Amino acid sequence: MAGSSTTAPSPHAPRPGSAAYTATKHAITGLTRSLSLDGRPYNIACSQIDIGNAATDMTARMAAGVRQADGSLRAEPTFDAAHVASTIVHMAGLPLDTNVQFVTIMATAMPFIGRG
């Protein structure tokens, strides 16, 4: 059996003003780790996908500018959400003796690296 959870990259590099959101993402990371450990005796694999700026209705506003750590507003790139689906299909197709524990999928130019 395999399970997965999704979150944004916020636990690794939070955005300004996102304490509550970031706390929930940390909770998912802890749950993923606990399920992975507790599920081992039952052949349960658990994975986490951190999704950054997939092009959806929720991220459409990013083209107009998103607040950055320095207080400025900057447009941020997005990527086709279909790539998230193909990542999930790949992970789900792995045999149970193989697991992708954590994966981050994001637009290459997303200002995540160096953000925190």
Side-chain angles (χ1 to χ4, degrees):
M1 174 183 284
S4 67
S5 57
T6 60
T7 183
S10 289
H12 312 289
R15 293 183 180 278
S18 66
Y21 180 79
T22 299
T24 65
K25 301 312 172 184
H26 272 286
I28 294 297
T29 299
L31 181 61
T32 300
R33 292 177 188 272
S34 291
L35 287 174
S36 294
L37 182 60
D38 294 347
R40 282 181 187 172
Y42 309 102
N43 289 324
I44 296 172
C46 186
S47 305
Q48 178 175 316
I49 304 170
D50 294 332
I51 304 167
N53 295 4
T56 65
D57 291 343
M58 190 172 110
T59 60
R61 66 182 177 82
M62 293 182 166
V66 181
R67 196 166 109 203
Q68 304 296 309
D70 65 3
S72 67
L73 288 178
R74 284 188 228 138
E76 291 193 10
T78 59
F79 68 98
D80 189 333
H83 299 308
V84 176
S86 65
T87 300
I88 293 168
V89 169
H90 168 73
M91 293 168 69
L94 294 172
L96 287 178
D97 64 351
T98 306
N99 188 31
V100 176
Q101 185 70 58
F102 297 97
V103 64
T104 300
I105 184 168
M106 62 185 199
T108 302
M110 182 180 157
F112 166 66
I113 304 300
R115 183 172 81 193

